[in-house]
Each structure stands twice: as C-alpha cells, then as structure tokens.
Amino acid sequence: MTETDPTDPTDPTDPTDPDEERLVDRVRSNVSENRTGMLQDLLFAVVWVTTVSLLYDFAFASAPQWVLYMFMLAGIPAYFGFFASLAFAKRAQ
C-alpha cells in the first residue's frame, strides 16, 4: 500500500485544493468584469417573464399552454434584438 505525501498539492483529501481556489478566483474575476452585463441580462429576463406571465394570465387567459411557451421562446430573439439595437444606437451617437 502506498502512502500519500501530505505536501502533495494533488492530494484529493486536501481541503485546500488549489483547483477549487482557482475556480473561485476565476468566477470572482468573471463576475467583477461582467457585473453590469449580467445585471442587464437578469433584468431583461425578469421583465420578459413577468410581462409574458401577465399577458398569458389576463389577456390570453383562454389560450392553450403552448402559447405561453411560444411567448417565452420569443424572448430569445427579443433579447438579442434589443441589445443589438441598443449597441447600434450607442454607435450612432
């Protein structure tokens, strides 16, 4: 039976695994670099889902369930279209 070296950095039982630290550092740096973009994405998603849910519940109350799914799927091109037009408007200024 082989003994594990306590100074070996690849020891799977070591609670301070350097891979985990690197992952946490990468996630932290990614979030700090893209904070406003991530916030905009989250805000768009919340507004889109809320709007679609309200439309489906009140305006299209008698519509079948697939209408809700189609409205939700329409959020994908709406997202890209909105942010592409926003980028185009910023360049035009």
Side-chain angles (χ1 to χ4, degrees):
M1 183 167 161
T2 61
E3 291 291 321
T4 58
D5 183 15
T7 61
D8 183 20
T10 59
D11 183 16
T13 60
D14 185 18
T16 59
D17 188 15
D19 289 337
E20 286 183 22
E21 291 175 11
R22 281 187 255 148
L23 176 65
V24 170
D25 290 338
R26 283 186 290 171
V27 169
R28 186 177 294 127
S29 68
N30 189 20
V31 168
S32 67
E33 290 172 3
N34 301 310
R35 182 170 291 153
T36 57
M38 294 171 80
L39 185 61
Q40 289 172 348
D41 294 347
L42 178 65
L43 184 63
F44 183 87
V46 168
V47 168
W48 185 264
V49 170
T50 302
T51 303
V52 167
S53 296
L54 291 174
L55 278 173
Y56 183 73
D57 288 343
F58 296 109
F60 301 105
S62 62
Q65 185 82 25
W66 62 267
V67 173
L68 173 67
Y69 298 140
M70 295 304 290
F71 275 137
M72 290 294 182
L73 281 174
I76 297 169
Y79 169 83
F80 287 108
F82 175 73
F83 284 107
S85 67
L86 189 63
F88 181 72
K90 285 182 180 179
R91 277 191 307 235
Q93 284 182 350

